Amino acid sequence: DIQMTQSPSTLSAFVGDRVTITCRASQSISNWLAWYQQKPGKAPEVLIYRASTLESGVPSRFSGSGSGTEFTLTVSSLQPDDFATYYCQQYYTSPFTFGPGTKVDV
Amino acid sequence: QVQLVESGGGVVLRGRSPRLSCAASGFIFSSHAMHWVRQAPGKGLEWVAVISYDGSNEYYADSVKGRFTISRDNPKNTLYLQLSNLRDDDTAIYYCARDRAGTVAGIDSWGQGALVIVSS
């Protein structure tokens, strides 16, 4: 099975900060990676798919990059609505594992 | 717009075999693969299972293989997850999710989830 790791596990930031989250796969997954945002008590929402394609309706301050085994999610200027937990998921092969999550708080 | 509504959750006894349902609307259900993803209280997301658009292929997480069964009824626009041999660590919110393609190409929509609490 492909293992996904994320760093950091928690990130403290301020409004306006540039924030970067890293996701690593235990083997190459090409660009078959998605990023999700989840707020407390809510279902996740997709931000990025195919590692770097912005989902329709997602603000352009979110961007994704990477391929192979290392990926990043960047928020160019953190907004109050962005304080949440972020997960990566590989969909290269089953089981389609998620990373453990990165909580972004104030 | 895409709507996914889960049902069938609640407190379930360990020896029972409940079935979760997910009613889909707002899109052509038979064109999309569908997933179940779960989240234990205070924990991260765990992918559970996926079924292809026509039901011909199913894949499972190791933690549920042989105990859970994913299925779909395309004429009824409904996804199912049959749970059996339940354990305490199956307690979680179970989310139904749509894949953006007929086979796996990434989740693009989520339901609001159904809470399953396993009790003895």
Side-chain angles (χ1 to χ4, degrees):
Chain A
D1 296 358
I2 296 176
Q3 310 303 318
M4 306 298 292
T5 59
Q6 288 183 233
S7 60
S9 56
T10 304
L11 190 158
S12 296
F14 295 94
V15 172
D17 282 353
R18 181 181 180 88
V19 165
T20 298
I21 299 168
T22 298
C23 175
R24 291 186 175 86
S26 59
Q27 65 186 75
S28 177
I29 58 170
S30 183
N31 63 347
W32 298 104
L33 183 104
W35 289 97
Y36 305 93
Q37 177 194 67
Q38 187 180 33
K39 297 175 183 176
K42 300 292 187 182
E45 295 182 351
V46 61
L47 299 173
I48 303 280
Y49 63 98
R50 291 295 295 272
S52 60
T53 302
L54 194 68
E55 181 74 8
S56 176
V58 173
S60 58
R61 62 181 180 272
F62 291 94
S63 63
S65 64
S67 66
T69 61
E70 187 157 330
F71 304 85
T72 59
L73 173 70
T74 299
V75 187
S76 60
S77 177
L78 202 66
Q79 298 302 300
D81 192 47
D82 301 337
F83 291 96
T85 301
Y86 295 84
Y87 296 92
C88 61
Q89 184 200 18
Q90 66 83 14
Y91 49 99
Y92 176 74
T93 189
S94 178
F96 302 107
T97 40
F98 285 90
T102 295
K103 184 177 181 181
V104 177
D105 60 18
V106 180
Chain B
Q1 72 278 22
V2 175
Q3 278 207 312
L4 301 167
V5 180
E6 301 91 340
S7 61
V11 178
V12 295
L13 297 178
R14 205 174 285 143
R16 298 293 177 93
S17 299
R19 187 177 74 168
L20 302 181
S21 300
C22 171
S25 61
F27 66 100
I28 302 174
F29 181 70
S30 59
S31 294
H32 292 262
M34 296 294 295
H35 300 255
W36 288 99
V37 176
R38 70 183 180 181
Q39 187 168 36
K43 303 297 184 183
L45 300 172
E46 180 186 16
W47 177 81
V48 172
V50 65
I51 187 167
S52 60
Y53 70 102
D54 60 356
S56 61
N57 290 290
E58 305 162 23
Y59 299 96
Y60 297 90
D62 293 343
S63 59
V64 307
K65 199 174 297 182
R67 301 189 301 122
F68 292 6
T69 302
I70 189 171
S71 62
R72 65 191 298 157
D73 187 333
N74 282 348
K76 292 185 177 180
N77 291 338
T78 304
L79 176 72
Y80 301 103
L81 186 68
Q82 182 75 53
L83 286 62
S84 65
N85 294 324
L86 286 167
R87 310 187 300 223
D88 289 347
D89 62 359
D90 293 320
T91 293
I93 297 172
Y94 285 76
Y95 293 103
C96 162
R98 187 186 82 162
D99 199 282
R100 65 184 67 250
T103 56
V104 178
I107 290 169
D108 68 354
S109 300
W110 298 72
Q112 287 307 300
L115 177 61
V116 173
I117 300 172
V118 179
S119 172
S120 55

